Amino acid sequence: MIAYHFTSSEFALKALRDRRLKIARISELNDPFEFCAADFSDTDTRAKLETFRNKVNEKYGVICFCENYHDPVLWSHYADGHHGVALVFDIPDDMAIRIDYQPERLRLDVNGAIQRGSFTESDLTQLISTKFSSWSYEKEIRMMCHLNDHFCQIDAKGKKVYFESLSLESYGVDALKLIGLIRGVRCDLNPADITSELLAVDTLPVQDARLDLPSFQIITGETYPVSGVRSFSACCFRV
């Protein structure tokens, strides 16, 4: 499945240099209803679900993508006001979770699950993939990550930060395969900037976003290859 990850130019260059993408913790996502899409009203159940949510937050994280790059609002919200980029990934179909946008909170036996000590895998997927219908413009796709299986670093504030590895080789074993980069219409990232962060064996297809005159959509121009110059020994990993 082809999916698009919007980010700033700064973080895009870090992803290219370090060949990895930061995993978002559930508590860091911008919707306060994350993992709380179930319909519950009593205070006791709400407290139990919050406790369970905190436990899940310690074990799982997500990487968020969009199924297309055409909506200018996506670039405004997630790509530094069109100054950033969209990283183009090919991700395994069986790891892609499509968000289900609903006008009302879903019915789920929260109390029963908490009393059993766990939700089923289906319940977990439903909780992580249900959002309010107003978010539907995002056309979001998520990849859920078990944090214990991923590289972890401690940032300057002493906080654990987890990463998913990515590869630019079609034969690589990493789930994330970077197959392109789209520069936003206001992006001042030039090909030389990209070249300096790629390995000498890498070639990345790059496109420039532009405004579609007949519509309110973002489209792209011709694809041009950008090749790297760095040696593998020059790789450095920073949070």
Side-chain angles (χ1 to χ4, degrees):
M1 174 182 290
I2 306 302
Y4 302 86
H5 180 81
F6 295 91
T7 188
S8 68
S9 295
E10 176 189 358
F11 288 116
L13 290 179
K14 284 185 179 180
L16 295 179
R17 180 185 66 224
D18 298 340
R19 302 177 89 83
R20 64 189 190 183
L21 207 59
K22 181 184 175 184
I23 298 170
R25 306 295 290 273
I26 293 171
S27 61
E28 297 172 339
L29 298 174
N30 58 2
D31 181 3
F33 283 96
E34 291 288 357
F35 217 78
C36 294
D39 179 11
F40 56 89
S41 54
D42 64 281
T43 304
D44 183 53
T45 302
R46 183 162 61 251
K48 289 177 180 177
L49 183 60
E50 183 64 26
T51 299
F52 183 76
R53 180 179 184 269
N54 292 336
K55 290 181 180 178
V56 172
N57 183 63
E58 293 302 311
K59 294 181 179 180
Y60 297 93
V62 297
I63 301 177
C64 302
F65 307 89
C66 297
E67 67 177 51
N68 67 59
Y69 62 87
H70 301 295
D71 191 332
V73 179
L74 293 171
W75 290 88
S76 295
H77 288 177
Y78 302 116
D80 192 20
H82 296 260
H83 293 278
V85 308
L87 298 175
V88 188
F89 287 98
D90 188 356
I91 61 177
D93 289 348
D94 60 354
M95 297 182 70
I97 301 173
R98 288 187 180 275
I99 298 300
D100 181 26
Y101 300 100
Q102 294 292 331
E104 298 179 353
R105 296 172 86 162
L106 59 89
R107 298 287 179 179
L108 194 66
D109 184 10
V110 175
N111 241 347
I114 292 173
Q115 289 172 5
R116 292 193 306 271
S118 66
F119 285 94
T120 65
E121 197 70 29
S122 176
D123 289 340
L124 281 171
T125 300
Q126 195 173 16
L127 283 168
I128 201 65
S129 67
T130 303
K131 295 183 70 171
F132 180 45
S133 55
S134 288
W135 293 95
S136 60
Y137 75 94
E138 293 182 335
K139 296 182 173 61
E140 187 179 350
I141 296 167
R142 286 180 174 173
M143 198 169 88
M144 200 163 181
C145 306
H146 294 263
L147 298 179
N148 286 342
D149 299 335
H150 292 80
F151 180 74
C152 175
Q153 269 191 287
I154 307 299
D155 67 11
K157 297 180 180 179
K159 179 183 174 184
K160 290 182 178 179
V161 183
Y162 293 86
F163 298 90
E164 176 75 58
S165 298
L166 63 86
S167 63
L168 279 77
E169 306 87 7
S170 59
Y171 53 83
V173 298
D174 298 306
L176 286 179
K177 292 188 171 50
L178 182 65
I179 60 172
L181 181 149
I182 303 173
R183 298 169 65 247
V185 295
R186 296 172 179 162
C187 183
D188 57 6
L189 197 65
N190 60 53
D193 296 324
I194 300 170
T195 290
S196 66
E197 301 298 354
L198 294 175
L199 296 176
V201 296
D202 295 332
T203 299
L204 183 66
V206 176
Q207 293 174 292
D208 296 333
R210 56 189 176 89
L211 306 181
D212 183 42
L213 296 180
S215 72
F216 282 110
Q217 290 200 325
I218 299 295
I219 57 175
T220 54
E222 294 295 321
T223 301
Y224 52 93
V226 174
S227 298
V229 296
R230 297 170 68 228
S231 65
F232 186 78
S233 61
C235 287
C236 86
F237 299 96
R238 284 173 267 169
V239 177

